[in-house]
Amino acid sequence: DGIIVSFSIEVMHRYRQQYALELKQSTEAHAALEKSTLHFKQILDNLFTYVALLDTDGVVQEINKVTLKQAGCRREDVIGQCFYDAPWFSHDEKVRLQLMKAIEAAKQGQTLRYDVIVKMGDGLVPVDFQISPVRDENGRIVGLLPAGVDISARKQAEAISRQHKVVIDTAHDGFWVTDLRGNLLEANQAYADLSGYSIEELLTMRTSDLEANETPAEVRAHISEILAQGHALFETRHRHKDGYVLDVEVSVNYMAESQRLFAFFRDISARKKAEEALRIAAAAFETHEAIMITDAEANIIRVNRAFENITGYRAEEVIGKNPRILRSGRQDSAFYAEMWQRLLDDGTWSGEIWDRTKNGNIYPKLTTISAVKNDQGATTQYVSIFSDITERKQAEEKIHNLAFYDALTGLPNRRLLLDRLSLALSASARNKQYGALLFLDLDKFKILNDTMGHDYGDMLLVEVARRLKFCVREVDTVARLGGDEFVVLIENVSADAEDASQNVALFAEKIRSVLATPYQLKEVEHHSSPSIGVCLYYGDCETIDELIRHADMAMYQAKGSGRNRVRFFDPHMQQSVETRAALESDLRRAIADRQLRLFYQIQFDNDHRAVGAEALIRWTHPERGMVSPLEFIPIAEESSLIIEIGHWVLDTACRQIAAWSQDEQTSNLVLAINISAQQFKQADFAEQVAAIIRKYRIESSRLKLELTESVALEDIDEVVVKMLALRRVLGVTLSLDDFGTGYSSLSYLKRLPLDQIKIDQGFVRDITTDRSDALMVKTIIDMARNFGFNVIAEGVETEAQLAFLKENGCMAYQGYLFGKPVPLEEFEALLERLPVREAIN
């Protein structure tokens, strides 16, 4: 139709131009022009598309019969009218607006195309519609040509296709399509769930990759048989992604037209197990467990002697009756409805039921019901195996009330530890013997959980518990308080304080060494270490809470001194804790009292031009003087003050960027600030950044947010969404700080929308003397460049370091070689003596 329309337009132009010129010369030319116009109209009327001819104002000059017939209109009702006022567009103002826009575009030489709904007769018809400009031989637009094609059939086909896909995707049975060589071309979610593979993984596999019963050669032979028969129904076994094998029933059909095999799969593992259970039950029917067999309608057809002993009913009293005669009334009809639904869906059900014996006693029983199916998959019997668990329930109730042990490690929990510690203090007072309490915390345990998953964390905790139990005597107690915190209670160490201290020190060092030995967690060798705090006790001079608190304080002292340490508690620790509490209290007033300032450390490019700075927070205390960030930042992190401080830093930095934008010398500087994990994890963090950027009306690319690897690994999907909002929507620059010190992998790194990687100064420090650090830095730079990231190195202090970094492709630098962090006034004075790069890529 499109070719016909184009042809007819060209014919119309040529005839009309030719005969219009001759019209001035003779009446014969006028008659020929009329004949030409009539010929064009005949062509137009024989088109199966909806076609009209408009002047340049959008007024209808001509329209074909197909359009008039389908719309139920007369030609005189349309000719001379604006095209968008035609009756088939009157039902929808949105369509009229689209037409107006298309007409205006055509006047400018453009063609817009829409799928629109038009009114044809009494119904609505979907039409693929466009308006094209009509040009004369000089290229001038002399008219407009709207044309539309009825796409009802296409829309209906698309709808049917979507319906079919929905049916396949939502089916309970697995489904796939393969070619004749066994390559998977399609698969639904049900089969992905059944096999453990994702749909994307399945589409890279062959039939033989999943088949557990047949070799690849046997699979090919089986496909040949199916091609010969056209269809097949059989049972086989497929291998799950996790390695185990499951039974499946397969229904497959061969479609010769498409040269494809279409297969449906149903997991029949439960049915197979039920059949096996029935065979075993038949061989061992008379066991100590009660067995009841019913027909498909749930009428009892057989019971064993154990059933009679437990229920009190003789076999002849229950044969032919429904098992509901045993109900106690404790469980309502909803319970039994759910039980039967699960039994019908899965073919098996296990759980506890309260039943009533013949003499009226109510008792709990542990029951397993399995459906027995024939070869056609129809249920023929149900087998119920149960046992009286009255005694066990009583024992479980006692255990539940005690609740003294940790479920994961099997170690005593806090409650049992407190009981034993109370007894130990009393025994110490009575026997005049020193004892000790060791408080252990695993170093960097959270990183293992975040990078490898909680399964690996649990495996580590179980292995730590096993090693601790191996280290202690039977009289000692190893307890888990929760998370990665363990406590070891040592009793009867010595009557002499000095001797007790030495013995406990040796014992603690032994534990530290044992726990620092590498762990084999599945396929991963993991290195961990403990921080151990020790507090001796003698008699009941200290309360239990004080003893635990002092051991905990000593543990934090060990962690603060570099981890993988043993530290004993002494009174000076208490003073340190009180000092820390006072410092936290002062920090809460620091922002309001304007004690916080930003210092600026300059950053250079390879041409020794200033490209920006990193803003570093400093605290000038009215009494303590300058407080080191190493001292107050950890306090801010632990007390959540870091969120308030981080917001202040963000606001102050943006205000400074706004001030610099007024000066040509500083207008292109990029200012970097550090973002804490707590600050970044706020749900509205991106909105906060956007609000401050709007507040100071700064160019967002001049603000650089530095994130640590631990921030990026918290929840990779959520982090990527938030980073995209910051980078793509707001235009903020993102840098990954301290790169190389964490546990990030390439799989994470390639997903992060970063602009820059910052090499940690720990690697830069020894690059000229340590081959490992030099290789690490070169690798980081090469990797970053391959990912398209900018690279900046921090901690550059010597010309040799700078030369090495430049030689290996580093792009920017920061460190004492160029300048230390200084107040704003000194920083701006430094800038006046230096060239500044005009633009940042």
Side-chain angles (χ1 to χ4, degrees), residues 128 262 329 405 776 841:
D128 182 356
F262 296 80
Y405 290 90
M776 177 66 76
N841 293 330

Side-chain angles (χ1 to χ4, degrees), residues 123 202 234 247 279 451 457 503 515 525 567 642 647 663 738 815:
L202 289 169
F234 58 92
D247 294 285
R279 286 192 292 270
T451 56
N503 289 339
L515 296 189
E525 182 180 82
R567 289 291 183 270
I642 196 67
H647 189 81
D663 188 335
D738 299 334

Side-chain angles (χ1 to χ4, degrees), residues 139-239:
R140 292 174 300 179
I141 297 175
V142 296
L144 309 176
L145 185 73
V149 178
D150 186 339
I151 56 173
S152 300
R154 189 187 79 191
K155 290 291 185 180
Q156 185 177 8
E158 290 174 352
I160 293 172
S161 177
R162 286 194 300 271
Q163 290 172 359
H164 288 176
K165 189 174 188 310
V166 168
V167 170
I168 294 299
D169 288 345
T170 58
H172 291 295
D173 290 343
F175 171 79
W176 74 28
V177 179
T178 74
D179 60 18
L180 300 187
R181 291 179 296 178
N183 297 306
L184 270 68
L185 306 177
E186 294 183 36
N188 69 350
Q189 188 59 47
Y191 188 79
D193 294 340
L194 182 146
S195 65
Y197 292 95
S198 67
I199 292 177
E200 292 75 13
E201 290 174 317
L202 289 169
L203 297 185
T204 65
M205 301 174 72
R206 300 171 66 92
T207 304
S208 56
D209 297 331
L210 297 160
E211 176 63 45
N213 268 5
E214 299 177 349
T215 65
E218 290 172 332
V219 170
R220 290 192 295 271
H222 200 166
I223 290 177
S224 298
E225 293 177 8
I226 295 172
L227 296 180
Q229 298 173 5
H231 61 86
L233 178 65
F234 58 92
E235 294 180 4
T236 186
R237 308 184 81 196
H238 280 191
R239 192 174 304 281

Side-chain angles (χ1 to χ4, degrees), residues 305-316:
R305 191 173 300 278
F307 174 93
E308 295 179 334
N309 295 335
I310 292 174
T311 66
Y313 288 98
R314 297 191 307 276
E316 57 269 22

